Amino acid sequence: MQPKNLSPQRENNLKITEINCTIMMEFVLLGFSDIPKFHWVLFGIFLVIYIIILLGNGIIILITRIDFSLQTPMYFFLSNFSFLEICYVSVTIPKMLMDLWTQKGVISFFACATQMCFFLMLGATECFLLAMMAYDRYVAICNPLHYPLVMNHKVCVQLVVASWMSGLPVQIGQTCQIFSLPFCGSNQINHFFCDIPPLLKLACGDIFVNKMMVYIFAVLFVTVPFMLILGYYIRIISTILKLPSSTGWTKAFSTCSSHLIVVVLFYGSATITYLKPKSNQYEGMDKLLSLFYAVLTPMFNPMIYSLRNKDVKEALRKFLPKFSALWDI
């Protein structure tokens, strides 16, 4: 109950504060509101992309389970990576499609925090899983005689579990830290999902510590795994160059090329997004980069691994006739 002796100005300020507190119970994702004429076109494009991601990664998971020739550590990691990609895009694309369909970007405070938490956790998992896949190639090429012993099924499961669990406590803590900040003024997030950089722009007060924590976590979960991958591939390349024949070079490089392409696509766009200096002049570029690593890279992954991998192409040739036969029945 408000005291009766408050001045009109104080009462007005109190009402404004109450309104701001009410508004901050939800956010508005602006998404692609700056190009309203293309909403339905974008809806169709992203719906097709989402279906391609689900089908492409789903087929890879299926063939690595049913084809005996793909029952190896390399394809065990690949099937887990495909499952991760399905989870990763399902955090952002369904909400984005709903916003394009309804032309409303309203998201509750809790839903926004949940979306960002899962996006960060799955992103951290992808960084570490890519590093584990590089370690698998390193052992296979640099220590081929010890490969079956070192990369046994138990070790592979442990590495995958470690990749999935590594980001849980840190990213949950980071999400709690971000959403414990006071938000005032506008509740409009100039992005198509709840991400750290656009949310920090809405926060009030001194957020220097929060920005520093973002950089520290980015270094921990992006730079460190990338340096591990770089180290593994330096050893791999040095080993390949010692092989006596060009045939050995081609075979060794063919097992690594798909993984390298995915690493460059994902780490390149993610590193630029989270480690570059923030500026209001590049908000459109931020969206484009986020779209690239959050949506387009997961769509390219099945194509990269299937088109550049003989084993996967052969498994697909055996699988598709069976699938069409079942469809005819």
Side-chain angles (χ1 to χ4, degrees):
M1 185 175 180
Q2 297 179 17
K4 293 183 179 180
N5 58 350
L6 284 177
S7 65
Q9 182 64 36
R10 292 284 301 278
E11 287 182 2
N12 187 48
N13 290 339
L14 184 59
K15 288 178 181 178
I16 292 172
T17 303
E18 289 175 353
I19 291 171
N20 282 342
C21 291
T22 303
I23 290 175
M24 288 306 121
M25 294 302 293
E26 64 182 22
F27 295 100
V28 177
L29 294 168
L30 295 181
F32 304 97
S33 58
D34 52 334
I35 45 173
K37 294 181 180 179
F38 294 97
H39 273 189
W40 293 112
V41 176
L42 291 172
F43 177 84
I45 291 172
F46 289 125
L47 180 61
V48 171
I49 289 174
Y50 189 47
I51 293 171
I52 291 172
I53 292 170
L54 294 180
L55 288 177
N57 287 287
I59 289 172
I60 287 180
I61 293 170
L62 186 60
I63 63 173
T64 54
R65 289 289 185 269
I66 64 176
D67 195 294
F68 183 76
S69 64
L70 301 183
Q71 304 294 314
T72 63
M74 175 180 171
Y75 296 107
F76 174 76
F77 286 115
L78 179 57
S79 65
N80 276 275
F81 186 70
S82 295
F83 176 70
L84 171 65
E85 293 291 59
I86 290 174
C87 297
Y88 191 58
V89 297
S90 296
V91 172
T92 55
I93 294 185
K95 172 61 179 169
M96 182 168 59
L97 290 173
M98 186 177 73
D99 291 344
L100 288 169
W101 179 268
T102 62
Q103 298 188 20
K104 297 177 182 177
V106 177
I107 184 170
S108 69
F109 188 89
F110 178 76
C112 187
T114 303
Q115 185 186 54
M116 191 180 84
C117 185
F118 274 97
F119 184 79
L120 294 175
M121 288 190 298
L122 293 171
T125 300
E126 181 155 352
C127 291
F128 284 108
L129 192 55
L130 285 170
M132 296 303 103
M133 294 169 77
Y135 175 70
D136 171 70
R137 293 298 83 208
Y138 160 73
V139 176
I141 294 173
C142 299
N143 298 289
L145 297 178
H146 297 93
Y147 182 67
L149 180 64
V150 175
M151 299 302 294
N152 59 66
H153 184 69
K154 182 180 178 181
V155 171
C156 292
V157 170
Q158 290 173 341
L159 290 174
V160 167
V161 171
S163 298
W164 279 89
M165 299 299 292
S166 58
L168 286 178
V170 175
Q171 300 301 352
I172 290 173
Q174 187 175 25
T175 302
C176 292
Q177 182 191 44
I178 295 295
F179 281 87
S180 64
L181 291 170
F183 294 98
C184 56
S186 174
N187 68 333
Q188 295 181 339
I189 301 174
N190 192 12
H191 212 14
F192 57 90
F193 68 95
C194 292
D195 200 7
I196 294 176
L199 271 167
L200 285 178
K201 292 178 181 178
L202 304 182
C204 302
D206 186 8
I207 58 172
F208 175 78
V209 174
N210 300 92
K211 288 183 177 180
M212 288 300 100
M213 293 303 293
V214 170
Y215 283 113
I216 290 170
F217 289 141
V219 169
L220 179 63
F221 289 104
V222 178
T223 308
V224 171
F226 180 74
M227 295 305 294
L228 287 173
I229 294 171
L230 189 62
Y232 290 138
Y233 273 105
I234 289 174
R235 294 291 301 276
I236 288 171
I237 292 171
S238 65
T239 301
I240 290 174
L241 293 177
K242 295 176 184 177
L243 295 176
S245 66
S246 59
T247 305
W249 294 5
T250 304
K251 185 177 180 180
F253 274 121
S254 66
T255 64
C256 302
S257 58
S258 300
H259 181 255
L260 270 174
I261 294 171
V262 171
V263 167
V264 170
L265 289 175
F266 177 77
Y267 275 99
S269 54
T271 300
I272 294 172
T273 299
Y274 288 99
L275 295 181
K276 74 175 180 64
K278 305 303 173 189
S279 172
N280 293 330
Q281 298 177 355
Y282 301 105
E283 288 182 345
M285 183 60 68
D286 289 342
K287 285 186 189 179
L288 184 62
L289 288 168
S290 297
L291 196 65
F292 195 84
Y293 74 81
V295 177
L296 297 182
T297 301
M299 182 186 70
F300 292 143
N301 288 347
M303 303 176 192
I304 293 169
Y305 279 107
S306 60
L307 294 177
R308 299 186 62 85
N309 190 297
K310 292 181 180 179
D311 294 334
V312 174
K313 285 192 288 187
E314 185 61 33
L316 282 172
R317 289 193 190 99
K318 291 187 289 184
F319 170 74
L320 291 176
K322 293 179 182 178
F323 180 77
S324 59
L326 289 173
W327 183 263
D328 293 336
I329 294 173

